[in-house]
Amino acid sequence: MQREREQVEKMENNGKRKLKVCVATCNRADYSKLAPIMFGMKANPEVFELEVVVLGSHLIDDYGNTFRMIEQDEFDIGSKLHTIVRGEDEAAMVESVGLALVKLPDVLQRLNPDVLIVHGDRFDALALATAAALMNIRILHLEGGEVSGTIDDSIRHAISKLAHYHACCTRSAERHLIAMCEDHSRILLAGCPSYDKLLDAHHRDDYADIIKAWLGDGVKEQDYIVALQHPVTTDIKNSIKIYELMLDALISFNKRTLVLFPNIDAGSKEMVRVMRKKGIEQHPNFRAVKHVPFEQFIQLVAHAGCMIGNSSCGVREAGAFGTPVINLGTRQTGRETGENVLHVRDADTQNKIYHALDLQFGKRYPCSKIYGDGNAVPRILKFLQSINLDEPLQKTFCFPTVKDCISQDIDHILETQSALAVDLGGTNLRVAIISMKGKIVKKYTKSNPKTYEERIDLILQMCKKALDDAVGLNCRVLGVGVSTGGRVNPQEGVVLHSTKLIQEWSSVDIRTPISNALHLPVWVDNDGNCAALAERKFGHGKGVENFATIITGTGIGGGIVQHNELIHGSTFCAAELGHIMVSLDGPECMCGSRGCIEAYASGIALQREAKRLNDEDLLFTEGMALKKEDPVSAIDLINAARLGNSKADAVLRTAGAALGVGITNILHMVNPSMVILSGVLASFYESPVRQIISQRALTSAKDIQVLTSDLEEPALLGAASMVLDYATRRTY
């Protein structure tokens, strides 16, 4: 009856009365995020009626009876629920959720809040959200949409699906919530509430006294370590091993260290046993504590020489101070981090952790505001006031996409991330080990065999040799990229139609035999596209949204990048730039057509014209060192033109004009902001191409940049870039 009366009062006074908000806190960590909001509501009693429910590890002596912090902050605790079933194993966690679900309905029914605020990804919070959702109580979830490791991800996302409103910390988390079908209008990008305190607390004058109180006399700022490692509930055995290795590394590192006890998750009891077995509580370099008040804890983190472990505090709050952090294992996999965080994902040796300590200890990084700008609480309070209690609880759905984030790993520092690049030319077959920065670490060259079987066998032999050498060169090979002439389906790794220069190379699956033999991912693309990819990653095209690359060599090819993506076309023959027709009745091209750019401006075309002039005794010019027995080449034609041969000069002017007209057509079709000429003839063609563009292009296209590539090996670098761009899109 009382609840019915309260509901009637709500309906009568909606819009005029206070908003009744229940804040439920389960442990020391979530209270640090909820307390600033609670203080904000307490400061606005005319707007909010605050109810506080305490449960979980707050009420356990072994974890510091941290509910006393809440009482010291002068909050009235409406209900204390003992919900933890001791045991610190998986079954105990499940039983604790069940016990909470048994006790919560009476409390929620008595309090009858308009909104329940739940934080994070703890199993206690899942019980809270489940009970409130089933009782039709609106839920505001803090810090949803984030990605980390272990069972926490599943719990966090489950709470987000039960919640009606969301206050998230980062733009990426907001996108994740949208991708999880949450209504964008019910999502607030607030930042982390704890940052409201962090950014002010950094400048406290009493930090030296706090350091002395917790670490003893003689410990200086930035000359100690804070260690906080929790169990990983989906891999308890490995997380205990990592904890043991971390303690061994810290003992060897020989710096004063504050070690906090782990949380109450399954596996924590075993971790405490490891700590006591190693005598950490008696060790002169260590102080082991169950709890540090949040205001003091952030001072200790802010002025530490390093923080180590797998606590979210390391990847979140520590960034506000630029404190160096070493994140061990997979518990925070996927978290957005500042540059202060060094990941040791495979923390499988003491030496690796020690090396990370050596790299990080004593450094200082720029302060990061990824998780907040210090104004989260005002935003959240305003968001709460905007909730329309007459609005239906049912949520609407949408289906956007999200992008991954990237961060650094200790293994990526100790080894050079590299790719195997393969370039299949008409004459030579080349393989190279290429680093992330585009350095060719080692290159191998052989003549390209004439048959398919011999060619595949040679590719595998050269790649295996390169992989063996990579170990000694300290290179981690992430995959294989293949550049080849012809039309290529990069999605399937198949050469559809080859050029006439490479025999037995049509309808060939390159990816499968290489991947099966080397057990590595394989990417394949046309050599022209690879040249464009090389420019995008290592050359003039880096940071340019729209550009075209033209290869001027034996043939004419290229690639087009539009909106930072390579264009392949519906049948994978986009950007066959050498076969743009510039004349209806020009010379025959190797493709079977006439008047293509390649028939005028390629190395083969110039060699053909050089032979014609030589046969007519019109090529040789005074100053040329041309012997009758030497084969005539395109270089001889260029040399003759430079020495004043008018016939040779006319051929080259025609070739330059043909290429310039073709490029002008490209400008008018796709309007790139830059054209990059690559290949052996690039420097020769740069001036005539610019001249033709100035004469024939539309006014709006005349000012486009025409540059000669600085890359010596565009095909190999482009093949490598396919590997390095995709294989390194890792989320930690």
Side-chain angles (χ1 to χ4, degrees), residues 669-681:
M669 284 189 289
V670 295
N671 193 27
S673 59
M674 179 185 293
V675 170
I676 303 168
L677 300 178
S678 180
V680 294
L681 299 172

Side-chain angles (χ1 to χ4, degrees), residues 560-579:
I560 297 174
V561 172
Q562 282 284 91
H563 306 300
N564 296 314
E565 296 293 335
L566 189 66
I567 296 176
H568 284 100
S570 60
T571 58
F572 312 107
C573 66
E576 285 289 353
L577 307 181
H579 301 292

Side-chain angles (χ1 to χ4, degrees), residues 462-694:
M462 294 174 73
C463 286
K464 288 175 181 177
K465 168 63 174 167
L467 286 174
D468 290 341
D469 291 346
V471 176
L473 295 166
N474 200 34
C475 292
R476 175 192 286 187
V477 175
L478 303 174
V480 182
V482 181
S483 167
T484 179
R487 187 162 64 93
V488 176
N489 178 344
Q491 298 170 4
E492 303 295 333
V494 173
V495 180
L496 301 174
H497 300 292
S498 178
T499 65
K500 292 182 180 179
L501 297 174
I502 309 177
Q503 300 172 14
E504 296 188 21
W505 206 239
S506 295
S507 302
V508 170
D509 179 359
I510 305 178
R511 175 179 294 159
T512 301
I514 298 177
S515 182
N516 288 346
L518 304 182
H519 306 291
L520 287 170
V522 178
W523 287 265
V524 185
D525 212 330
N526 165 272
D527 51 5
N529 287 335
C530 284
L533 291 174
E535 294 295 338
R536 186 179 70 175
K537 188 167 185 66
F538 303 113
H540 293 307
K542 193 171 185 178
V544 180
E545 188 175 4
N546 304 296
F547 69 91
T549 298
I550 318 293
I551 299 181
T552 58
T554 306
I556 299 288
I560 297 174
V561 172
Q562 282 284 91
H563 306 300
N564 296 314
E565 296 293 335
L566 189 66
I567 296 176
H568 284 100
S570 60
T571 58
F572 312 107
C573 66
E576 285 289 353
L577 307 181
H579 301 292
I580 294 175
M581 293 180 64
V582 293
S583 173
L584 295 177
D585 57 355
E588 185 177 357
C589 180
M590 291 183 71
C591 71
S593 184
R594 285 185 173 275
C596 299
I597 296 175
E598 189 168 294
Y600 285 101
S602 67
I604 290 177
L606 297 183
Q607 184 181 38
R608 181 194 66 225
E609 292 301 302
K611 287 180 178 178
R612 178 181 64 79
L613 291 176
N614 190 54
D615 291 343
E616 297 173 4
D617 292 327
L618 297 175
L619 180 64
F620 184 80
T621 303
E622 186 177 351
M624 288 181 63
L626 182 63
K627 298 179 182 179
K628 289 187 177 181
E629 62 271 17
D630 291 339
V632 177
S633 68
I635 298 299
D636 296 318
L637 186 74
I638 294 171
N639 288 337
R642 285 173 176 165
L643 292 170
N645 187 318
S646 60
K647 298 289 185 182
D649 185 64
V651 170
L652 292 177
R653 279 190 282 106
T654 301
L659 183 60
V661 168
I663 291 174
T664 302
N665 291 336
I666 296 169
L667 302 186
H668 294 165
M669 284 189 289
V670 295
N671 193 27
S673 59
M674 179 185 293
V675 170
I676 303 168
L677 300 178
S678 180
V680 294
L681 299 172
S683 59
F684 173 77
Y685 280 131
E686 182 178 344
S687 178
V689 165
R690 283 180 174 166
Q691 185 177 2
I692 293 296
I693 290 174
S694 67

